[in-house]
Every structure is written in C-alpha cells, then in structure tokens.
Amino acid sequence: MRKLVWLMVVLVAVFLARPLWEEKAGEYVDLGFLDSIDETIGQVKDDPSLAEAFEGAKQFTLQIGGQLESMIRNSTAEMPEAAAKPELDDTQSLFAVHNVTLGMTKEQAQANVGLPLRLMRNEYGTDWHSYHQDYQNYVLLSYDQEGHVNGMFTNQDLISSTRGITMNSHKAEVRAALGIPLKSLQKGNVQYILDTRDEYDVFKVDSLYVTVFYDVHEEDTVTALQVIDGELEQKRPQIYAEPDAELKEGFEFLLFELTNSARIQRELPLLKWDEATRETARKHSEDMAENRYFSHTNLVGKSPFDRMGDDGISFFVAGENLAYGQYSSIFAHEGLMNSMGHRENIVKPDFGYLGVGVSFNSDDQPYFTANFFNR
C-alpha cells in the first residue's frame, strides 16, 4: 500500500506540474512522454477504491509545492539600508553617486562605498570598480592614474544633483535641467551619430559627459546615470573600444552584474554565474560576429536550447537575450530592459543561472549573448 501511495504522489506531482512545463519549456522540450502519464492518471482517478489515496497524494504535493515556492520567494538577499544622499549646492559637483563625486581620491570614495568586489575593463581603457552589497547600493567607479574618480555609474536610487535630477525625474525634466542632448560625438576626424532611439540622452555639461538612461516602460523616468570626466572621454579614440581578452571578460561580467542589480531591486532571486554556459554563449557571439548575422537560430538551424544541450548543460527552463552594436554592457543592458521580451528574461523569477558571452566583429562592434536557465 505504501508503494502505491508514493506512486500516487509521483503521478499527481507530474500531472499538476504539466501546465508549468508547457508554459516555460514548451518551445524546446518534447512533452510527448506525458501522454502515457495522463492515461495512467486517468485510470487511477476513475478507480473509486483509489480515490482516497489519490486525494491524499494531491494534498501532499500541494504542500510540498507551497514550501518550494516559499523557499524561492525568500531566497533574495536582505535589503541593506539605502545610502543617505547629500544635499548638493551650486558650488559642488553636478552629480554625486552614493556620496561620491568626480575628482575624489580613491580613499575618499571608498570611505563611502567600501572595497570593490570586482574590477572590469571598460571601453575607456580603465577599469570599472564594482561596489555593492549583494547588488544593492550598486555603484561603478573609474579612477585615473593618480587615483582620482573620473567615471561613475549607478542604476539605483543613489543620485544627488545640483539640478534636482532624481530617479523619479522624467525625460522632459532632465532635458529642461541639462539642456539639449548631443546628437553626435567627435572622435578624431570621425563624427559618430548617436542612435539613442530616445532611450537615453548624452549631455555635455561644462567638462562632463553625462548619459541619462530612461525606462520606456515606466513613463520615461530615469533608470540609470553615467558621468564621465571630459578628459577621459576625449582620450577614447573611437566610439567602439579596441577589443582584447580583458575587454571581452569585462563586458561579460558587467552584463551579469547589471542583470543582478536589476533583479535585486525587484526583490527577485539573484542569478549565479555559470562558466559552462558562458562558453556556449561565447561561441554563439563569435559565430554571429564572424558571419555577420544576428539571430537566436544559428546558420545550421540550431536554437539556444539545442546549443546548450549540445554542450551538456541540463535545464528545465531556459531563455536567451541577444544584443549587438551597443558601446558597452551598460548600453546593452539598458536597451534590453527597454525591450519587453528581453526584460521578461532579466526579471523572470524562475531562472537561477546566467552565462554571458561576448565577441567583436571586424569593426570592433560587440555581440552579447546571455543564456539564462535553471536546473
């Protein structure tokens, strides 16, 4: 009788989970094997002598399911206190991020933000120093050779501004405060047109280059801010950085970090880095860059799920985000967040792992592949 009860538990668990599998994995998992399970469950449910066992198994399964859902819901990091934001006056820097301003020494900055958790090469030839507590109070800082802050970024509510700009400001308010956005950037003898698509603005304010990103799904409110010292911007010889192994890895880890920074703000479970999937993603980015195409399906007809399966990556749910031609991981991430289908992957609670792979074409334009999954 005990074996029969456990058989009921297994059969009912599969039966109740089927709609979930069909919704999350129906595109790439063959569910034909469930037909025989349905037939067996139908026979069991029609047998009055087994009705009591079936109902007990159903209640047991629902109880376990509720416990698992509670575990997932509670798996995010505890939120730390938000950093206090100073009131700036007109004699101070245009922006402060987590109480850090351009020109501060590394010692002064790190008295506010702590020690960096990762260094990632960026398109300016410096490193983004990443500061956060489980991706909360997330800040990126760059330093010049003398150890002074020459670049800042955040996508969280850590901004202070002498112009009154906050994360609640709308695009029209930002433009009223900072002036007319740039339409192009001059690099040497080349003028690069900025294809902003109204998703971000670049402003030249005194000696600063300020990029303000907007969330098109949240009424064009500010979603991120990047501030670059004019001297650092002028040292960048072209709009796309010359790629090398350090830049590739820096772009990969930064896109991963930005994804988790977006998730933690929505109280979602953090993703774990997966090295094997990074290699799968890299190979697809390399294939797209070398063969000049941009698609989830490669030139031999394989889907992301085929490619992951070929590399021995097991999963019950998976998704892929692609980006191409953005100047950095910051621009790629913000663009993906403004595309609803890609945004859904970034904030999907079901995912537990992420691997990011980057490659560059002969014009130094980056291709980003992000493979999400859970096992």
Side-chain angles (χ1 to χ4, degrees):
M1 184 63 182
R2 180 177 298 175
K3 290 183 179 179
L4 179 60
V5 171
W6 278 108
L7 175 60
M8 297 304 100
V9 170
V10 173
L11 292 176
V12 174
V14 173
F15 180 75
L16 293 176
R18 180 174 180 176
L20 178 67
W21 292 1
E22 287 180 339
E23 179 185 356
K24 299 298 193 302
E27 295 178 40
Y28 48 88
V29 176
D30 182 3
L31 299 175
F33 72 94
L34 290 172
D35 293 339
S36 59
I37 295 176
D38 281 343
E39 183 179 352
T40 303
I41 290 175
Q43 294 172 355
V44 170
K45 292 174 70 176
D46 291 339
D47 188 338
S49 65
L50 298 177
E52 182 177 351
F54 183 88
E55 182 61 27
K58 179 179 177 181
Q59 294 302 320
F60 176 80
T61 303
L62 292 174
Q63 179 183 3
I64 294 298
Q67 292 172 352
L68 289 173
E69 182 180 357
S70 177
M71 290 170 61
I72 292 173
R73 188 169 54 248
N74 295 326
S75 64
T76 54
E78 182 179 350
M79 295 290 285
E81 291 186 10
K85 294 180 289 186
E87 292 292 333
L88 301 180
D89 59 47
D90 291 338
T91 65
Q92 296 174 293
S93 179
L94 178 62
F95 285 100
V97 172
H98 204 325
N99 301 329
V100 175
T101 57
L102 292 185
M104 270 189 179
T105 66
K106 182 183 292 187
E107 291 74 19
Q108 290 173 322
Q110 291 186 168
N112 292 317
V113 297
L115 295 176
L117 299 181
R118 180 180 280 129
L119 274 62
M120 297 163 286
R121 183 58 48 91
N122 62 35
E123 68 272 26
Y124 294 98
T126 64
D127 290 328
W128 282 125
H129 295 235
S130 172
Y131 304 91
H132 57 88
Q133 300 90 42
D134 289 322
Y135 298 98
Q136 298 140 359
N137 292 331
Y138 186 82
V139 176
L140 299 174
L141 298 178
S142 167
Y143 301 96
D144 63 21
Q145 292 182 343
E146 287 73 41
H148 294 89
V149 177
N150 62 2
M152 309 184 298
F153 171 85
T154 187
N155 60 355
Q156 297 187 5
D157 189 15
L158 301 169
I159 301 169
S160 299
S161 170
T162 58
R163 304 288 177 90
I165 296 170
T166 71
M167 297 295 277
N168 294 319
S169 298
H170 293 265
K171 183 189 298 180
E173 296 172 319
V174 173
R175 291 177 175 177
L178 298 181
I180 300 173
L182 298 178
K183 298 300 181 183
S184 63
L185 279 178
Q186 187 80 24
K187 297 293 179 183
N189 295 323
V190 180
Q191 188 175 53
Y192 295 91
I193 304 300
L194 296 173
D195 183 18
T196 67
R197 303 179 186 179
D198 278 337
E199 295 182 6
Y200 66 90
D201 285 326
V202 182
F203 301 93
K204 177 73 162 56
V205 185
D206 298 327
S207 62
L208 305 181
Y209 286 83
V210 179
T211 305
V212 183
F213 298 90
Y214 307 109
D215 191 330
V216 302
H217 302 295
E218 296 291 340
E219 300 180 337
D220 282 333
T221 51
V222 175
T223 187
L225 173 76
Q226 176 178 278
V227 184
I228 301 295
D229 180 77
E231 185 175 340
L232 179 60
E233 182 61 58
Q234 293 304 321
K235 286 181 178 178
R236 183 165 58 141
Q238 57 186 21
I239 200 75
Y240 291 109
E242 184 175 345
D244 58 21
E246 283 186 291
L247 186 66
K248 176 187 290 189
E249 186 171 86
F251 276 13
E252 290 169 343
F253 279 118
L254 182 52
L255 190 59
F256 169 78
E257 288 202 356
L258 293 169
T259 301
N260 269 334
S261 179
R263 289 175 69 88
I264 203 65
Q265 292 178 78
R266 292 158 176 81
E267 300 185 7
L268 296 170
L270 294 174
L271 302 176
K272 298 179 180 65
W273 177 262
D274 190 77
E275 187 64 27
T277 312
R278 190 247 287 262
E279 293 306 314
T280 300
R282 266 190 179 181
K283 286 187 290 186
H284 187 55
S285 289
E286 289 168 359
D287 188 33
M288 290 190 294
E290 291 173 6
N291 293 289
R292 297 281 184 158
Y293 74 95
F294 185 64
S295 174
H296 292 288
T297 303
N298 67 16
L299 298 180
V300 296
K302 290 195 173 183
S303 71
F305 320 114
D306 296 327
R307 296 191 295 272
M308 291 172 68
D310 289 346
D311 288 343
I313 299 165
S314 59
F315 56 89
F316 70 86
V317 60
E320 180 175 84
N321 281 354
L322 300 179
Y324 155 64
Q326 289 83 359
Y327 310 129
S328 72
S329 297
I330 290 173
F331 286 84
H333 172 74
E334 296 302 329
L336 291 168
M337 284 293 288
N338 277 335
S339 169
M340 185 53 72
H342 297 99
R343 185 188 186 105
E344 288 174 355
N345 276 340
I346 291 170
V347 301
K348 186 186 289 290
D350 308 56
F351 292 142
Y353 299 88
L354 174 61
V356 179
V358 171
S359 189
F360 302 83
N361 65 18
S362 58
D363 295 321
D364 297 338
Q365 296 169 324
Y367 287 73
F368 300 85
T369 301
N371 289 137
F372 302 79
F373 72 102
N374 215 341
R375 58 168 67 97

